[in-house]
Amino acid sequence: MTRKSKYSLLSFILLATITIVFMAIYNVSGAVTEQDNIYIKKILEEAGYDPQDIQNTENFDEQIQTILAIQNAAFHTTPEVELITLDTPREPENLYIATAAYCGDRARFIDKALRWAGFESRFVSIYENEPNHSFFSTMLAKADGKRGMSHALVEVKTAKGWMMVDTRKFWISLTKSGDVINLKELRRHKRGVFKWSDLSKEDKYWLLDRDYYVFYGLYSRHGRFYAPYTKYIPDVNWPEFLYYNASTLLD
């Protein structure tokens, strides 16, 4: 091996090591902890559900009822809209203590509660694709009510495929005909093409009718939702981010 080849190999190993260490430090785990178990059950119980009944049975109709129960419990424990303080945890325990939450806060609980119940689920963020703004300016923009708007929700895998569970509206992407629609499929179609099931008490969140970017496993652009709370380094679940964003490119 030549000196140049050795130098290239060492450079590659060093870069790979730095990348792995970075991703290990700045990774938001989706694992459900024992502490999560306690507070998921508390939230369900106080919303009027028996935790023993909240499980994935593989029967589609029963799955829908379980998913709706988890969504309802999230809204029951935090009926008001207000962001859990930045630079602090936002796990099921924190949602239980709070009386208000934002979409990302509820999405974290719903995602973990679905996993706890035996479902495959994924956290997803959307960012409005604004006219006259580049992708990077949109991603770096701070939401101010006029631009930089974003939304967090959850997709859950049912017997009929991936379905959206919203975090600002009592809405799931179940059609009147009993089909489930995933986020990227919704984005490909014109507004109003789908007729939603009456099981959704409200219409979907307004941003879902706009043009937007989709990112699985991305919790924030700013890095202040999850430890180590490093400003400007995004909060990401790297395995989920890499796997689902890559696997849905051809959707």
Side-chain angles (χ1 to χ4, degrees), residues 23 27 115 120-124 155 157 162 184 214-218 236-251:
M23 292 174 69
N27 180 64
R115 294 170 190 257
E120 186 177 347
S121 69
R122 54 196 190 192
F123 188 106
V124 55
E155 284 191 335
K157 194 170 187 179
W162 289 98
K184 292 196 173 183
V214 177
F215 293 99
Y216 294 99
L218 176 60
V236 181
N237 179 314
W238 286 108
E240 191 170 307
F241 182 87
L242 295 172
Y243 178 78
Y244 285 122
N245 289 308
S247 65
T248 58
L249 286 177
L250 299 178
D251 287 354

